Amino acid sequence: MSLAVQGHGANEFDAGEVIIEHVSNSSLEHPIFELPTLWGIDFSVTKHVLLLWIVSALVFTAVTWSVRKYLKQDRPVPTGFMNALEAIVEYIRDSIVLPNVGRKYLLSWTPLILTFFFFIVTANGFGLIPVFDVLGAINRLILRVGPEEKQFINTLLHGGVTATGNYNVTAGLALVTFISIIIAGSRAHGFIQHWKNLVPPGFAWPLYIMLIPIEIMGMLVKPFALTMRLAANMTGGHIAILAILSFVFIFSGLFHSALAGIGVGIVISVPLAVGVSALEIIVILVQAYVFTMLSAVFIGMAINVHH
Amino acid sequence: MSGKNNLTLHGIGISMADEENFLASSFRYLQKIVRQSGPAASASYTMIGAIILLGGLGYLIDRWQDTRPWFLLGGLLLGIIVGFYEIAKVVWKNRR
């Protein structure tokens, strides 16, 4: 991370610019893989899209492979990775999905909630591992590739790789939740009744003129809250770490000596950044947990309507 | 020492006398609290989301139509109404 910062601020260091460049997606003008435009949508792969695919592939292969292996073995007791997987699956099924969704639709909605959890936790976790930055450091320092050369790893550099820190990704996930709420309500009560269930019955009709718009807004606000919370939390942690690390370069620029920067780095920046990184480990778990729990609560609210 | 042995976690009736079970029982208790907090958490997040979304929409309309600050204020007010309505629904549900 700091290497990329160093490489960027060769003449004058601009902390804001560096931070924004690190947490935002790579630009569409220089995509990692160029793909054609279909129906007016540019399908070119940027950094966040690349990570999205890597995470999906990783989660899919790891889970499918270990479950297949477990099903083939003779002993009913799982070991190693499968053991951990089973514990998480059971925990999510029994303490997130069951109390919210109920026994009747438990098995229809557990797979979706589990997919959410494993995908989000892996994508969040990848943001903490500076894969591309380490590759870039090897590229620059050992393979001696210049920063301006057109090369695959160079296109990956300068940027956070938390796919869930991108609002478009979390909006996509929240859209899945939004559609699931409608499907869950329609399956449990029928399509028309689901919409009728949104407003509590038994009030005088003038009240409904107020209640119906409020309910519709509330329905749209829920996925919005999901979107913003996850993306803002993932971006926020990275901004905090980068801002703290920027002190090194700001101070060395301020006093025109590398020693001042290194001193601030040793005394303040590195310990603080380590602390924030440790906090981030908790945050990635909590945010994945909250997203799955809220999805389960919303789906459950559409199924178990109490009036 | 004796106080520690007699301690019982309220609501689930798990005795902490067994030292080995301490971690398991605290984990179960945490699980219970988390389970209960689900609807409340959803309502509070919805409230913040409503205020930000509707206030933000008001701000954008203000910028577009140059009517500062009326749509922003209206949006914030509407956000508070929608947010509190979601919280009220959770409270009503629990009281019945």
Side-chain angles (χ1 to χ4, degrees):
Chain A
M1 213 179 284
S2 57
L3 266 166
V5 175
Q6 227 168 12
H8 184 267
N11 31 26
E12 203 173 326
F13 180 71
D14 184 349
E17 197 187 308
V18 172
I19 290 172
I20 291 300
E21 203 181 287
H22 270 256
V23 292
S24 57
N25 201 353
S26 59
S27 83
L28 258 181
E29 278 130 43
H30 308 286
I32 293 166
F33 301 112
E34 200 115 19
L35 289 179
T37 303
L38 291 177
W39 309 290
I41 304 165
D42 193 349
F43 276 88
S44 294
V45 176
T46 54
K47 191 161 22 201
H48 284 173
V49 178
L50 177 71
L51 201 85
L52 218 54
W53 285 106
I54 292 175
V55 168
S56 315
L58 195 74
V59 171
F60 180 77
T61 28
V63 173
T64 320
W65 178 73
S66 51
V67 170
R68 296 268 150 161
K69 210 178 115 200
Y70 168 64
L71 289 177
K72 266 189 209 140
Q73 76 182 19
D74 300 329
R75 293 180 309 119
V77 184
T79 48
F81 180 67
M82 185 61 204
N83 200 358
L85 198 69
E86 198 185 272
I88 297 170
V89 167
E90 258 182 19
Y91 176 77
I92 290 176
R93 188 194 64 193
D94 294 342
S95 71
I96 297 180
V97 187
L98 181 62
N100 291 308
V101 173
R103 201 163 286 282
K104 193 180 171 194
Y105 289 99
L106 177 67
L107 291 181
S108 21
W109 293 107
T110 308
L112 176 78
I113 304 293
L114 280 171
T115 313
F116 271 148
F117 183 80
F118 284 116
F119 177 76
I120 293 171
V121 95
T122 318
N124 287 357
F126 255 86
L128 279 189
I129 310 167
V131 197
F132 295 159
D133 294 300
V134 169
L135 281 180
I138 293 170
N139 199 27
R140 198 67 48 80
L141 299 176
I142 298 170
L143 299 177
R144 299 274 167 203
V145 179
E148 302 305 327
E149 255 173 270
K150 196 149 174 59
Q151 187 228 20
F152 177 66
I153 291 174
N154 266 345
T155 59
L156 293 175
L157 270 181
H158 294 320
V161 280
T162 325
T164 37
N166 189 323
Y167 290 90
N168 303 298
V169 174
T170 50
L173 292 171
L175 192 67
V176 175
T177 306
F178 181 71
I179 295 169
S180 307
I181 294 168
I182 297 173
I183 293 174
S186 304
R187 275 185 66 189
H189 306 286
F191 188 71
I192 308 282
Q193 188 59 38
H194 166 67
W195 295 99
K196 281 186 185 167
N197 280 341
L198 282 180
V199 281
F203 289 124
W205 68 267
L207 212 57
Y208 283 117
I209 300 173
M210 267 163 57
L211 272 184
I212 290 170
I214 289 178
E215 281 287 354
I216 290 169
M217 275 187 272
M219 188 179 82
L220 298 173
V221 155
K222 281 171 194 159
F224 175 78
L226 282 179
T227 306
M228 297 308 267
R229 205 207 56 260
L230 182 56
N233 268 299
M234 296 329 294
T235 313
H238 283 251
I239 291 178
I241 293 173
L242 286 166
I244 290 165
L245 286 178
S246 297
F247 285 159
V248 176
F249 305 102
I250 291 171
F251 274 86
S252 55
L254 208 61
F255 295 106
H256 297 292
S257 84
L259 211 63
I262 292 168
V264 169
I266 290 170
V267 178
I268 300 172
S269 289
V270 172
L272 262 180
V274 169
V276 176
S277 302
L279 203 66
E280 278 287 283
I281 296 173
I282 301 170
V283 170
I284 62 171
L285 288 170
V286 168
Q287 288 311 319
Y289 179 78
V290 168
F291 194 101
T292 51
M293 188 189 67
L294 290 185
S295 296
V297 169
F298 293 152
I299 289 170
M301 263 155 64
I303 292 173
N304 309 309
V305 188
H306 301 296
H307 290 308
Chain B
M1 191 68 188
S2 64
K4 195 178 178 186
N5 284 343
N6 292 334
L7 206 66
T8 310
L9 290 176
H10 298 290
I12 47 171
I14 291 169
S15 166
M16 280 201 278
D18 198 345
E19 281 281 324
E20 275 185 3
N21 277 339
F22 178 69
L23 210 78
S25 66
S26 15
F27 187 66
R28 216 164 302 145
Y29 194 54
L30 176 81
Q31 211 166 321
K32 183 174 176 270
I33 292 171
V34 163
R35 194 177 300 174
Q36 287 172 342
S37 71
S42 85
S44 60
Y45 279 126
T46 311
M47 181 175 173
I48 299 165
I51 294 171
I52 294 175
L53 177 66
L54 293 167
L57 281 180
Y59 174 75
L60 288 180
I61 293 171
D62 266 346
R63 257 194 10 183
W64 173 44
Q65 292 288 340
D66 216 15
T67 49
R68 245 163 283 192
W70 302 111
F71 277 99
L72 172 63
L73 289 179
L76 286 175
L77 192 70
L78 209 59
I80 291 169
I81 292 171
V82 173
F84 269 106
Y85 178 71
E86 291 293 328
I87 289 186
K89 271 208 302 195
V90 172
V91 177
W92 288 336
K93 196 186 263 184
N94 286 346
R95 281 184 68 181
R96 259 175 237 172

